[in-house]
Amino acid sequence: KAGVTQTPRYLIKTRGQQVTLSCSPISGHRSVSWYQQTPGQGLQFLFEYFSETQRNKGNFPGRFSGRQFSNSRSEMNVSTLELGDSALYLCASSFRTDNEQYFGPGTRLTVT
Amino acid sequence: QQPVQSPQAVILREGEDAVINCSSSKALYSVHWYRQKHGEAPVFLMILLKGGEQKGHEKISASFNEKKQQSSLYLTASQLSYSGTYFCGTEGETSGTYKYIFGTGTRLKVLA
């Protein structure tokens, strides 16, 4: 079974720009969660989607948004990028919202 | 509040045992454990649900004391492949503000 895929793997953007990251979950998984990982803050929960509905949201500003499509693929958007948004963005999928999560390889975002 | 893990870092020789603790200030519904190797995505190890459950996976096992809001991960007869950063993930508030909160992480290095 194919794992979670994320595109792109690496991204360099400048302050003020916006970015869209994509995540394709494991086939059959309907829950997708997004995380931001930085050396200083560790793994921080962004949001979770299940069947195209946002179920939970972490403590991030409104510049961070996401959506999930009918095929369970998910996108995350960050508008008006700041230097502090530089991080590894991970998405994870699970069959249900209370199941173990399987992580994708992540998208490394660098904001200059 | 982020669950606190202890120790922050540990160095072992092959064959030695280690215990990693995860403590939360909030009531826990479940605890997940993950291992992340450098440059890779976190990999699920096990999930423990309410009820003082103890689970095992090869030479890695874990316990969950919901009254103490603590979980411990036990690594027995450690192998080189156990090196990495271990995270506990706990289910947080259910009001919709967040779902998973990951612990502060424990860096474990196993030496030959």
Side-chain angles (χ1 to χ4, degrees):
Chain A
K1 192 188 269 192
V4 178
T5 58
Q6 290 185 245
T7 56
R9 293 292 311 278
Y10 302 91
L11 207 49
I12 300 175
K13 291 284 189 179
T14 56
R15 275 190 309 175
Q17 288 186 312
Q18 75 161 17
V19 66
T20 299
L21 312 181
S22 180
C23 171
S24 292
I26 290 172
S27 178
H29 284 191
R30 295 166 65 189
S31 174
V32 173
S33 297
W34 287 89
Y35 299 88
Q36 181 195 67
Q37 187 173 34
T38 59
Q41 298 295 319
L43 269 166
Q44 302 278 314
F45 171 72
L46 280 156
F47 26 66
E48 180 202 10
Y49 287 88
F50 183 81
S51 293
E52 302 178 68
T53 301
Q54 186 179 88
R55 298 289 293 264
N56 290 286
K57 190 177 191 305
N59 192 24
F60 277 81
R63 300 185 297 107
F64 291 81
S65 63
R67 57 178 176 169
Q68 186 180 33
F69 302 96
S70 58
N71 61 0
S72 293
R73 191 176 71 83
S74 178
E75 285 183 349
M76 190 193 99
N77 186 75
V78 187
S79 62
T80 319
L81 285 166
E82 300 178 359
L83 294 178
D85 296 335
S86 294
L88 178 67
Y89 289 89
L90 293 159
C91 88
S93 76
S94 59
F95 181 67
R96 292 194 316 253
T97 58
D98 59 349
N99 280 168
E100 62 266 25
Q101 299 180 86
Y102 294 87
F103 283 82
T107 294
R108 173 76 60 185
L109 172 66
T110 301
V111 182
T112 61
Chain B
Q1 271 88 338
Q2 194 173 22
V4 176
Q5 289 183 230
S6 61
Q8 284 186 312
V10 59
I11 299 176
L12 302 171
R13 292 280 179 190
E14 260 188 306
E16 291 182 339
D17 301 339
V19 180
I20 300 172
N21 300 302
C22 172
S23 293
S24 172
S25 60
K26 293 183 180 291
L28 300 178
Y29 174 72
S30 67
V31 178
H32 302 211
W33 284 96
Y34 296 83
R35 177 173 60 211
Q36 185 177 28
K37 292 183 180 287
H38 184 69
E40 299 179 10
V43 173
F44 170 79
L45 292 175
M46 66 187 72
I47 179 173
L48 300 105
L49 302 176
K50 231 175 171 180
E53 190 170 350
Q54 185 156 354
K55 298 190 76 172
H57 176 70
E58 296 181 345
K59 293 179 183 175
I60 300 175
S61 61
S63 63
F64 177 26
N65 187 324
E66 64 197 77
K67 286 183 181 176
K68 292 186 177 179
Q69 296 161 192
Q70 290 178 347
S71 178
S72 295
L73 187 72
Y74 307 95
L75 300 116
T76 307
S78 58
Q79 305 168 12
L80 294 175
S81 62
Y82 287 4
S83 292
T85 300
Y86 289 77
F87 293 98
C88 63
T90 63
E91 201 163 339
E93 294 290 332
T94 55
S95 60
T97 57
Y98 57 79
K99 174 141 180 161
Y100 290 115
I101 306 174
F102 280 89
T104 48
T106 295
R107 290 189 309 279
L108 185 140
K109 187 168 179 63
V110 181
L111 303 175

